[in-house]
């Protein structure tokens, strides 16, 4: 869908250039860089309305093994690609559901701060309470669009 392109504007050629062989010697099977992987996981989590917690677990495990410099670079990338909201959702849900911070406690770096609207907080708290989000989760995508002109187009393509 055309409107989804505004959610995460990763150029496939750049994504491929930063990717790694899945295993040594496997040139055809590649995996994204850890930073790209985190951004994709956060988007995927929002896309599926937080239906499974596996994305939070994957995000959390990937971040817990990183160092200070990686987290600083990740924060710059989050800001550069406008991914503050999906990562803020991941941070909030990790703290509330998994009872741990998104970034390692011993490293003095935290994800970019994003204040939630009352609607966002209510929807996230629904998921924290264990409720299934269903189509309500799609509303959170609307807050993730950096270009607000795409909101109506995205809503029509996604919800109707």
């Amino acid at each position: 869908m055309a409107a989804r392109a505004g959610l995460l504007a990763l150029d496939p050629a750049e994504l491929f250039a930063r990717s790694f062989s899945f295993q040594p010697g496997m040139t055809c099977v590649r995996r994204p860089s850890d930073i790209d992987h985190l951004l994709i996981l956060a988007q995927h989590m929002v896309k599926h309305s937080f239906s499974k917690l596996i994305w939070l677990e994957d995000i959390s495990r990937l971040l817990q093994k990183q160092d200070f410099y990686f987290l600083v670079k990740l924060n710059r990338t989050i800001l550069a690609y406008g991914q503050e909201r999906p990562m803020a959702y991941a941070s909030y849900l990790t703290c509330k559901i998994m009872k741990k911070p998104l970034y390692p406690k011993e490293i003095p770096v935290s994800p970019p701060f994003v204040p939630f609207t009352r609607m966002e907080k209510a929807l996230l708290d629904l998921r924290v309470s264990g409720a299934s989000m269903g189509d309500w989760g799609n509303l959170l995508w609307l807050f993730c669009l950096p270009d607000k002109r795409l909101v109506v187009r995205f809503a029509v393509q996604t919800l109707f």
Side-chain angles (χ1 to χ4, degrees):
M1 287 200 258
R4 286 191 187 198
L7 289 166
L8 181 57
L10 283 176
D11 178 20
E14 287 179 30
L15 188 66
F16 188 80
R18 291 190 300 262
S19 68
F20 300 97
S21 291
F22 187 70
Q23 291 181 352
M26 294 181 78
T27 56
C28 295
V29 181
R30 303 189 65 81
R31 68 172 183 83
S33 70
D34 286 347
I35 288 178
D36 291 336
H37 193 183
L38 287 164
L39 298 179
I40 293 165
L41 280 169
Q43 282 290 331
H44 202 189
M45 181 181 67
V46 177
K47 178 183 185 292
H48 289 285
S49 303
F50 317 102
S51 59
K52 304 220 179 344
L53 299 180
I54 189 69
W55 296 291
L56 283 181
E57 183 65 26
D58 288 347
I59 290 168
S60 177
R61 285 185 183 198
L62 192 53
L63 285 171
Q64 293 305 312
K65 67 179 186 175
Q66 302 301 337
D67 64 10
F68 174 81
Y69 299 105
F70 174 88
L71 296 174
V72 169
K73 186 176 178 184
L74 174 62
N75 283 351
R76 286 189 194 134
T77 306
I78 289 169
L79 294 170
Y81 284 105
Q83 296 302 298
E84 298 92 341
R85 283 203 140 40
M87 289 304 290
Y89 297 161
S91 181
Y92 185 80
L93 293 174
T94 301
C95 289
K96 295 289 185 173
I97 294 173
M98 301 174 81
K99 308 290 190 227
K100 60 184 176 180
L102 186 65
Y103 288 7
K105 285 183 190 178
E106 61 276 0
I107 299 178
V109 177
S110 59
F113 175 75
V114 176
F116 294 138
T117 65
R118 287 192 296 204
M119 173 70 86
E120 286 174 294
K121 182 130 176 23
L123 290 169
L124 291 168
D125 285 341
L126 266 174
R127 184 61 186 107
V128 169
S129 72
S132 174
M133 297 290 289
D135 287 335
W136 290 103
N138 287 324
L139 292 175
L140 287 171
W141 281 60
L142 301 178
F143 294 101
C144 294
L145 287 165
D147 184 351
K148 297 308 174 198
R149 294 173 295 176
L150 292 175
V151 169
V152 173
R153 184 174 175 192
F154 181 85
V156 169
Q157 289 178 347
T158 303
L159 302 175
F160 303 108

